[in-house]
Amino acid sequence: MGSGVLQGPAQSVSPDLKISVAVPVYNEESVLPDLLRRTLAALDTLPGGPHEIVLVDDGSSERTWQILEQATADDPRIVAVTLSRNFGHQAALGAALDFVTGDVVAVMDGDLQDPPEVIPDLVAKWKEGYQVVYAVRQEREGESWFKKTSAALFYRVIHRITDVKIPVDTGDFRLMDRKVVDVLKTMRERHRFPRGMSAWVGFKQVGVPYDRAARHAGVTKYPFR
């Protein structure tokens, strides 16, 4: 007996397709210039537009906000939001989703471990009819044995204690259809876990493999503690 994969019809891509990229940032002044340059270059390869990058400064204590202010003045495709203090990565990501206006939304970290150059691959899968396209880490460059082992253990424990099947070896890096984003925005949990929430809401989902790079510059915001 043969086997097959069922999926929805291909998405009808409007010539006015708008793609948003949502990025929470915290003390990333050394990364921001390359982050903006590479993300805009990736968006320039995609049809439609003008696309946008929405960055939320999660109460940075250095020059992140000043750099973002200048970037918005230089390029109308860049939208910057600042929070009154450091609320945490997931809260800042939730804030970014409140401001995006695109038909599809890519979510990524601001340290360039999630390469913007993968966004066109995620969009290609969305065009096939998938509404959530999550990036699956093949290689984790620059990460310690402890980090890799604890991450692998985390997902496997989650699978044992909950019915929500979060794909293994994924992070927040993903592309979501506007319908999915609108559902997530109605879920106003105080302690948010977007990668679990996007798995829980359903919709047609698929993974795209990629190699996770080492941090481009600066220091990790997730120390051992």
Side-chain angles (χ1 to χ4, degrees):
M1 179 181 293
S3 61
V5 176
L6 295 177
Q7 68 179 76
Q11 306 278 9
S12 124
V13 180
S14 163
D16 299 323
L17 171 70
K18 182 175 185 178
I19 300 167
S20 298
V21 182
V23 189
V25 291
Y26 175 65
N27 288 347
E28 295 290 7
E29 63 177 3
S30 58
V31 178
L32 277 175
D34 279 341
L35 171 67
L36 294 172
R37 176 184 57 80
R38 287 174 55 183
T39 304
L40 289 171
L43 293 176
D44 284 342
T45 68
L46 294 167
H51 307 305
E52 68 177 4
I53 311 173
V54 177
L55 302 105
V56 173
D57 176 22
D58 188 22
S60 295
S61 58
E62 32 81 297
R63 294 186 62 256
T64 289
W65 179 244
Q66 287 79 6
I67 295 171
L68 290 178
E69 280 190 305
Q70 184 59 56
T72 60
D74 294 340
D75 195 322
R77 296 173 295 173
I78 299 171
V79 178
V81 179
T82 184
L83 302 184
S84 59
R85 65 170 176 84
N86 178 240
F87 286 91
H89 179 273
Q90 306 298 347
L93 176 53
L97 294 181
D98 284 338
F99 282 88
V100 294
T101 60
D103 304 296
V104 290
V105 179
V107 172
M108 55 184 277
D109 289 343
D111 55 12
L112 285 177
Q113 287 189 274
D114 297 338
E117 293 79 10
V118 175
I119 293 175
D121 297 333
L122 305 182
V123 173
K125 279 295 180 184
W126 171 80
K127 290 178 181 178
E128 292 179 12
Y130 296 99
Q131 292 155 307
V132 177
V133 185
Y134 50 85
V136 182
R137 299 161 179 167
Q138 292 187 124
E139 299 292 336
R140 301 169 69 105
E141 182 181 339
E143 295 185 359
S144 66
W145 172 88
F146 176 82
K147 176 70 177 294
K148 295 175 182 178
T149 302
S150 60
L153 180 62
F154 168 78
Y155 285 108
R156 285 154 182 82
V157 169
I158 286 290
H159 278 195
R160 294 294 297 272
I161 66 176
T162 179
D163 292 332
V164 179
K165 300 306 179 187
I166 303 173
V168 175
D169 297 325
T170 63
D172 292 325
F173 190 22
R174 64 195 57 227
L175 185 92
M176 297 180 290
D177 188 90
R178 164 54 64 177
K179 294 177 184 177
V180 181
V181 174
D182 287 344
V183 171
L184 293 181
K185 287 169 63 176
T186 68
M187 302 167 65
R188 307 309 292 182
E189 282 84 353
R190 182 175 178 183
H191 300 290
R192 301 175 66 79
F193 186 42
R195 72 193 71 166
M197 293 161 64
S198 63
W200 180 82
V201 297
F203 296 95
K204 298 179 180 66
Q205 308 200 11
V206 70
V208 170
Y210 80 109
D211 293 334
R212 184 167 169 84
R215 164 171 272 279
H216 183 70
V219 297
T220 179
K221 308 309 183 293
Y222 290 93
F224 178 81
R225 181 178 64 83

